[in-house]
Amino acid sequence: MDLPLVVGVDGSDPSLTAIDWAVDEAARHGLPLRLVYASLWERYEGTYPTGSRDRPSEQVMAEHIVASAAERAQRRDADVKVSTEIVPEEAVSALLREANNASALVTGSRGRGELKGLLLGSVSLAVAGRAHCPVIVVRGDPAGLAGTHERILLGLGDPDTATEAVRFAFREAEARGGVLDVVRAWRCPAQEASDRAAEEPARVHEERALALLDELLREPMADHPAVRVRRATVEGPARRVLVDRSAAADLVIVGARRRVGHFGLQLGRVSHTLLHHALCPVAVVPQRV
C-alpha cells in the first residue's frame, strides 16, 4: 500500500494553497491524501458539565476546518482518495508523528494566527528541520505554484546529503514530464584577476563539481531514461544561486542531514534560505546518517 501524502491544515490561506498543491501532487503520483489538523481542544473537554449539549468551540472549529479542507480537495480532483484526522496534540509533534507514515509531508508557508509579514511560519520551519520524510513547504509566486514552468530544480549539495534528494527529484520530474535542472554551486578562494594561476584553482573547483554531478546522476539517469536532465555548475553561493533559479522552477529540491536521535533543527543555510525566499515550493529531502 502506498503511503499517503500528508497535509497539515489549519484553515489559513497558506494552508488552502497547500491543499490545492497537494491534491495535484497526489494525483500525479497516484497517492491517497491525508489531511491532518492538530488541535488541543480535548484537553479542555472535561471543563464542560457531563451531559451538556454544548461542544467546545475549538472542537467545532476543528471539525469545520477538516471538513472544509476535504471538500476543497474533492472539488479540485474527485479521483483523489481523501481522508481526514483531528489529532489532539501540538502541531509540530503531531505532524512529525504523521511523517513517520507518509510518502511526504506538505505544509503552507505559515499558519493561522501567525503574522502576515512572516516569510515562514514556525511550524513549517520546525517540521522541515526534523521530519524523517520529505517535507514540501508550499510557497512562491503564482507561476511557481501553478507548475507552469515544467521545470524541477535540484540543488546538489554534499554527497552525504544528496542521494535521497536525487532519487526524489527524478521521480518528481518523471511524474511531471518536465525538465530536471541539476545545479552544483562552487566557490574558490579569491585571487588577483591578473594572476594567471587564478584560472587553475577555478578550473579545478569546476571540474570537481562536474565530476560530482556525473557520479551522483549516473545511476538515476539510467533508471529514468525518459527524464530530460540539464546539468550546470555555477560559481557563487549556493543559496543565492538556487533562490535566483527558483523563479523559473515549479519545485526546488535540496537534501538535508537527519541524525538519528537528534531532535534539534537540522537545516543548513541553503535550505533555510530557500524556505524563506524561494519563488516556488521547496522540498527538503532527508538523508539519514
Side-chain angles (χ1 to χ4, degrees):
M1 181 181 294
D2 290 325
L3 292 176
L5 187 64
V6 174
V7 188
V9 301
D10 63 6
S12 64
D13 287 343
S15 168
L16 299 180
T17 301
I19 292 168
D20 292 344
W21 190 93
V23 170
D24 296 344
E25 181 75 354
R28 272 190 290 267
H29 293 275
L31 295 172
L33 192 66
R34 179 171 165 82
L35 307 175
V36 177
Y37 175 61
S39 168
L40 293 175
W41 67 264
E42 289 188 0
R43 177 179 297 176
Y44 310 105
E45 189 177 16
T47 63
Y48 283 76
T50 303
S52 172
R53 294 185 179 181
D54 295 330
R55 293 186 299 155
S57 59
E58 181 69 20
Q59 178 187 358
V60 174
M61 183 178 68
E63 292 172 354
H64 173 73
I65 285 173
V66 296
S68 297
E71 182 182 355
R72 185 184 184 95
Q74 293 286 250
R75 283 201 311 266
R76 190 168 182 91
D77 194 327
D79 292 329
V80 172
K81 183 179 179 182
V82 178
S83 62
T84 63
E85 186 76 21
I86 300 173
V87 183
E89 197 172 355
E90 183 271 332
V92 172
S93 299
L95 292 177
L96 288 175
R97 182 171 288 104
E98 290 286 333
N100 293 329
N101 293 291
S103 61
L105 182 63
V106 180
T107 74
S109 57
R110 61 182 182 274
R112 180 168 53 90
E114 291 182 306
L115 297 176
K116 272 195 169 182
L118 287 178
L119 295 173
L120 182 67
S122 58
V123 171
S124 298
L125 182 61
V127 171
R130 293 164 56 186
H132 288 285
C133 76
V135 174
I136 300 145
V137 175
V138 179
R139 57 163 300 111
D141 61 21
L145 291 170
T148 58
H149 297 294
E150 298 184 346
R151 186 183 305 272
I152 300 298
L153 174 62
L154 170 63
L156 200 61
D158 295 334
D160 60 351
T161 66
T163 306
E164 292 300 324
V166 170
R167 291 173 182 165
F168 183 91
F170 270 86
R171 290 195 299 268
E172 195 65 36
E174 188 169 61
R176 292 169 178 259
V179 174
L180 175 59
D181 275 342
V182 186
V183 178
R184 169 72 178 182
W186 59 274
R187 303 185 74 177
C188 64
Q191 297 189 33
E192 291 294 333
S194 59
D195 186 358
R196 289 187 58 187
E199 298 179 5
E200 184 172 348
R203 180 175 55 81
V204 169
H205 282 275
E206 186 172 15
E207 287 176 351
R208 288 174 181 169
L210 285 169
L212 180 61
L213 285 176
D214 289 340
E215 177 186 350
L216 292 176
L217 296 179
R218 187 178 299 112
E219 184 175 332
M221 286 180 66
D223 292 339
H224 301 272
V227 174
R228 292 170 290 162
V229 180
R230 295 178 182 172
R231 295 176 286 186
T233 58
V234 182
E235 183 178 10
R239 51 187 174 165
R240 187 187 69 200
V241 169
L242 294 175
V243 167
D244 289 346
R245 291 187 173 226
S246 71
D250 301 321
L251 179 67
V252 56
I253 301 165
V254 289
R257 184 179 289 105
R258 294 286 185 272
R259 294 185 177 89
V260 176
H262 183 80
F263 298 104
L265 292 177
Q266 300 174 58
L267 289 174
R269 294 168 67 186
V270 173
S271 298
H272 198 276
T273 300
L274 285 169
L275 288 168
H276 282 83
H277 299 288
L279 296 172
C280 68
V282 179
V284 178
V285 182
Q287 181 88 22
R288 295 196 186 192
V289 294

